[in-house]
Amino acid sequence: KGWAMVHSSVVTSLQSLRTALSKIVGEEVEIIITDSTRTEEENLRLGKTYGWIEEGGKVSKDSRHLDKYGGIAVDFYARTKANRTIIPSKLVGEVATKFFDFVKSDYEDGHTHADNRNQIN
């Protein structure tokens, strides 16, 4: 809260994704970021709330969202700008694989996780 750190490759990938999705759906698309870089403390809080992946939960103890990775991960939704219609995460995930190193889009709440893990400096 109060700050955001996003690797420049993520900005480029998100813009490319937005452009591609806009062409597919035939109208302007916007990306709504719900999570980006996390501190260790925030990741611990989320792990306690949602459980650790390593134990069957939803949060990785070594999440690519952690600030030590330099802002390479983002969670988001895509929606049409005019009507704010959410674009199905399956489609978002399929298109996102063209622009990100890793994509996961099968979350119950419909968000997509994407990261550029090969961009870590």
Side-chain angles (χ1 to χ4, degrees):
K1 295 181 181 181
W3 62 275
M5 179 173 58
V6 180
H7 193 276
S8 61
S9 71
V10 171
V11 175
T12 300
S13 295
L14 286 171
Q15 182 57 43
S16 297
L17 173 61
R18 193 175 80 78
T19 299
L21 287 172
S22 294
K23 287 179 184 174
I24 291 168
V25 301
E27 60 182 292
E28 190 173 357
V29 167
E30 55 187 12
I31 303 293
I32 308 302
I33 297 171
T34 58
D35 195 11
S36 60
T37 304
R38 300 178 192 152
T39 62
E40 291 281 350
E41 294 78 15
E42 179 67 5
N43 204 58
L44 181 59
R45 183 188 71 75
L46 290 169
K48 286 180 179 179
T49 301
Y50 299 107
W52 300 109
I53 286 176
E54 297 83 355
E55 299 165 4
K58 297 181 180 182
V59 179
S60 174
K61 290 180 180 178
D62 192 34
S63 173
R64 293 302 191 273
H65 287 281
L66 288 168
D67 55 6
K68 71 181 181 180
Y69 290 114
I72 61 159
V74 64
D75 292 345
F76 63 93
Y77 295 90
R79 68 183 184 192
T80 60
K81 188 170 182 179
N83 298 326
R84 296 186 174 185
T85 302
I86 298 291
I87 298 169
S89 60
K90 182 177 181 186
L91 174 60
V92 173
E94 289 171 2
V95 178
T97 61
K98 298 175 185 175
F99 307 110
F100 286 92
D101 298 332
F102 177 83
V103 176
K104 184 171 178 358
S105 60
D106 61 353
Y107 295 97
E108 292 173 17
D109 67 357
H111 83 273
T112 299
H113 166 92
D115 68 58
N116 281 329
R117 58 187 60 196
N118 298 333
Q119 305 294 320
I120 299 172
N121 295 334

